[in-house]
Amino acid sequence: MKYNFMNETRSFDGVTLRRIVAAEDFGDVKAGTIGGWLESEENLSQDGTSWVKASAMVFGSARVFGEAVVSGTAMVSGSAVVFGKAIIFGSARVS
């Protein structure tokens, strides 16, 4: 597993999100790096080098995989799919 869920949670728009932490080194992410917020493990693939950073949130049926990165205060939700070498950042909203 490349990441695990921490015990830290937050509520956003009626959805409970959980913070992630890298369990191993992958891409330019080092083990122990605190990541962003997911609703479920389905939101971020355990394969590849995809990552959700710091304050970013992914929830609903949205999926992030491949080499994609979501960072800043960006939100990916609904049934959005972010993959390949996509980078979603700043205060972007993808749904």
Side-chain angles (χ1 to χ4, degrees):
M1 295 187 72
K2 75 178 185 188
Y3 69 89
N4 293 309
F5 285 99
M6 300 174 65
N7 289 328
E8 190 176 352
T9 63
R10 73 182 281 190
S11 181
F12 178 80
D13 203 23
V15 176
T16 299
L17 303 172
R18 298 185 295 163
R19 189 179 285 282
I20 57 173
V21 60
E24 61 186 37
D25 294 349
F26 58 92
D28 35 349
V29 177
K30 301 297 179 203
T33 300
I34 305 299
W37 301 89
L38 306 178
E39 182 177 4
S40 76
E41 190 173 333
E42 299 301 314
N43 297 131
L44 177 63
S45 175
Q46 289 282 3
D47 299 319
T49 59
S50 57
W51 188 237
V52 177
K53 295 182 175 183
S55 298
M57 298 183 280
V58 181
F59 55 97
S61 299
R63 297 203 57 229
V64 178
F65 61 94
E67 297 176 44
V69 175
V70 182
S71 65
T73 58
M75 290 190 308
V76 179
S77 62
S79 56
V81 178
V82 179
F83 63 97
K85 295 182 180 186
I87 301 172
I88 309 298
F89 64 96
S91 57
R93 306 292 185 255
V94 178
S95 61

